[in-house]
Amino acid sequence: MKVLVIGGGGREHAIAEAIARSPKHPEIYAVMAKQNPGIARLCKDFLLEKETNIEWVVEYTTSNKIDVAIIGPEAPLSVGLSNSFESAGIPVVGPKKEVARIEFDKAWARNFMRDNNIDGCPEYRVFSNDEGLKEFIEKLQDVAVKPAGLTGGKGVKIMGDQLADTNEAYEYAKEMLEKGEVVIEEKLEGEEFTLQAFVDGENLAFAPCVQDHKRAFENDLGPNTGGMGSYSDADVILPFMLADDLEIAKKIMKQTVKTLKDVTGVCYKGILYGQFILTKNGPKVIEFNARFGDPEAMNVLPILETDMIDVIDAIANGKLGSLDVKFAKKATVCKYVVPAGYPDDPDADKEIIFGDMGDAILFYSSVYEMDGKIFTTRSRSAAVVGIADTIKKAERIAQEGIENIIGDLHYRSDIGTEALIKKKINHMKEIRGY
Ligand code: AMP
Ligand code: GLY
């Protein structure tokens, strides 16, 4: 079996590692823009090429007689790599452009939710010019301003965080309008969680819930990033969630998959990522992504007990209904090391030395190797994951591992700690009022 992994980040290293664990001993191939040392070591062969360069990617895939491909990042999905794979007769895990749109066009995604009565949609409006913009912002008062296109998680600005008042919100929205449509939506208050599912067009197999930490610095301060780290609990839900919250989130995702097919005529095959915010009125949808989260993939894939090759085959060939997808009942904590100054002014091209990881698992992300040494880029460098019976123990494992990564780097030591988790539980109690 020859499996191709598209992408070269931490998420894709976790995907490749899950595939490599298969007792079927698949041959792994990869396409990545930069050589991820972890993925490269797991591969029989790889192509260093932009993942969006469809022509080259498909040529590489057919000439290596790849049996199935799995697409990690959003960019190749947004340019229709899955469509091209399908035309070339290559089974693929990763939705076609028509339905991956749920991620890369936030305006379309919100209209899709509203028009089809998908639960959990906040009040919002899409603007393509500034007519009525100021009035709508003033009506909602507390808003989130979102450019409609892909921004790597960094284009969204929220009142009270990056935006001081309605005036600043209006100015930012106007600035963003120069690049395309802008979504203005009500600011939702609560704790966020991620729910990821394998989807075969019809059936969904859910992974445990994960909470990511977008902010660069301890105690959830500082600018938004791609994600500084994340945790999951042995119990499938997170410590601040109720079992019902998960059921509501699952229902929303199932409704979304079914409706995507009804509306577009295209089956959603791949990973669906639901980002939810748990408000006093239950879970609301922040956004959907058409892929695994990065870092969230690194929480769930290492504890996947089912053979990843069987999962990939079931997704690509519509057989997920008859596969029992299981995850170990373990807690996980993932922490990213990033270049000093990230995300505003990251210190690239600095050497990183990886010491003893102990019981932690290391996933490489945006680094490169030269003369046997590993260097930073401008993005997140590497992640360590601890797995244990409790979040507390998993945190210790991750922390002890990350302390042995030496370089001009930064990480958040608070992710997964008891103190931060208590804060989140209390925050949710306050919001729910009990
Ligand atoms: P996104 O790029 O959509 O993931 O948004 C980045 C971050 O902005 C999310 O992780 C949330 O913390 C925040 N966010 C997005 N939409 C809202 C909203 N309607 N209310 C409050 N926070 C939001
Ligand atoms: N961790 C957020 C994302 O992957 O979009």
Side-chain angles (χ1 to χ4, degrees):
M1 180 103 176
K2 293 182 173 189
V3 188
L4 174 68
V5 178
I6 308 286
R11 167 185 45 215
E12 290 75 27
H13 187 183
I15 292 172
E17 191 272 338
I19 295 168
R21 286 202 312 269
S22 167
K24 295 187 178 69
H25 303 294
E27 275 180 10
I28 303 176
Y29 292 72
V31 175
M32 44 192 167
K34 274 194 287 299
Q35 183 171 337
N36 178 312
I39 298 175
R41 267 169 228 156
L42 294 170
C43 278
K44 182 168 166 26
D45 187 57
F46 56 84
L47 173 70
L48 293 181
E49 180 61 60
K50 267 174 89 168
E51 297 93 350
T52 46
N53 194 341
I54 291 188
E55 205 179 314
W56 281 95
V57 175
V58 173
E59 207 281 317
Y60 178 78
T61 309
T62 48
S63 65
N64 281 291
K65 302 193 165 54
I66 297 295
D67 294 300
V68 64
I70 174 163
I71 302 174
E74 59 275 27
L77 295 170
S78 73
V79 294
L81 181 58
S82 294
N83 304 59
S84 299
F85 275 145
E86 195 184 88
S87 306
I90 301 152
V92 56
V93 172
K96 289 204 267 183
K97 198 174 162 178
E98 295 82 348
V99 284
R101 190 167 184 191
I102 192 102
E103 166 162 9
F104 66 76
D105 186 345
K106 288 186 201 290
W108 185 84
R110 282 302 188 214
N111 291 338
F112 165 84
M113 287 187 77
R114 182 192 54 200
D115 295 348
N116 297 288
N117 296 315
I118 308 275
D119 295 333
C121 188
E123 188 172 354
Y124 78 96
R125 244 181 85 184
V126 177
F127 290 89
S128 47
N129 58 52
D130 78 347
E131 220 184 289
L133 177 64
K134 203 170 174 55
E135 293 76 6
F136 190 66
I137 291 174
E138 269 160 12
K139 180 188 152 210
L140 290 186
Q141 281 296 318
D142 266 344
V143 293
V145 180
K146 302 181 165 189
L150 289 177
T151 59
K154 292 169 208 151
V156 175
K157 290 198 178 179
I158 313 289
M159 195 102 104
D161 284 342
Q162 303 87 355
L163 303 167
D165 51 31
T166 49
N167 258 340
E168 271 191 24
Y170 174 63
E171 290 305 325
Y172 180 62
K174 254 192 9 190
E175 185 190 322
M176 289 300 110
L177 272 174
E178 281 164 30
K179 296 180 195 157
E181 287 182 323
V182 171
V183 182
I184 305 292
E185 61 189 39
E186 68 177 296
K187 177 187 171 181
L188 301 162
E189 298 275 8
E191 283 297 322
E192 289 177 39
F193 67 93
T194 299
L195 181 60
Q196 302 168 101
F198 298 114
V199 188
D200 70 351
E202 200 174 323
N203 305 287
L204 289 84
F206 292 96
C209 296
V210 184
Q211 189 178 43
D212 184 17
H213 298 70
K214 290 247 169 201
R215 301 303 199 88
F217 308 129
E218 313 268 306
N219 287 313
D220 293 325
L221 298 173
N224 271 337
T225 68
M228 291 296 292
S230 46
Y231 66 93
S232 66
D233 205 350
D235 188 26
V236 179
I237 57 172
L238 295 163
F240 56 82
M241 288 174 70
L242 305 173
D244 259 5
D245 300 327
L246 174 60
E247 291 315 308
I248 292 169
K250 282 184 174 178
K251 193 175 151 231
I252 290 173
M253 287 175 61
K254 286 181 187 165
Q255 219 183 344
T256 299
V257 167
K258 185 183 175 302
T259 313
L260 277 171
K261 187 182 169 197
D262 294 344
V263 168
T264 64
V266 174
C267 281
Y268 190 102
K269 287 184 178 196
I271 317 300
L272 182 63
Y273 167 117
Q275 192 188 356
F276 295 91
I277 187 161
L278 201 45
T279 70
K280 64 174 188 294
N281 301 317
K284 304 280 171 201
V285 176
I286 292 278
E287 65 172 354
F288 291 110
N289 290 329
R291 52 169 174 86
F292 272 121
D294 187 345
E296 292 96 323
M298 294 184 278
N299 296 91
V300 300
L301 287 174
I303 59 165
L304 176 67
E305 287 183 335
T306 311
D307 185 341
M308 183 66 172
I309 288 296
D310 291 342
V311 175
I312 286 174
D313 177 54
I315 297 171
N317 298 302
K319 297 187 296 193
L320 212 46
S322 54
L323 184 70
D324 188 14
V325 178
K326 283 199 170 125
F327 292 87
K329 294 202 178 336
K330 294 281 184 190
T332 67
V333 171
C334 173
K335 300 193 190 207
Y336 249 118
V337 277
V338 300
Y342 173 85
D344 295 334
D345 188 19
D347 212 359
D349 307 313
K350 292 285 162 64
E351 191 184 352
I352 312 181
I353 296 167
F354 292 91
D356 181 12
M357 286 297 112
D359 289 332
I361 309 171
L362 173 69
F363 293 114
Y364 294 96
S365 188
S366 285
V367 289
Y368 64 94
E369 212 167 348
M370 208 169 58
D371 304 329
K373 292 179 179 173
I374 292 177
F375 296 88
T376 59
T377 65
R378 294 179 58 80
S379 299
R380 296 173 292 176
S381 309
V384 292
V385 178
I387 300 172
D389 290 330
T390 62
I391 297 173
K392 189 176 172 180
K393 287 184 190 157
E395 191 278 331
R396 285 328 301 165
I397 294 170
Q399 181 64 27
E400 280 162 23
I402 212 164
E403 283 173 7
N404 289 325
I405 302 180
I406 312 300
D408 189 16
L409 300 162
H410 162 72
Y411 65 87
R412 277 183 60 171
S413 56
D414 63 340
I415 292 170
T417 57
E418 254 184 322
L420 192 58
I421 294 198
K422 267 208 186 108
K423 207 170 135 185
K424 290 166 190 291
I425 294 172
N426 289 337
H427 182 211
M428 231 25 256
K429 275 190 183 151
E430 218 174 90
I431 283 177
R432 291 192 208 260
Y434 54 84

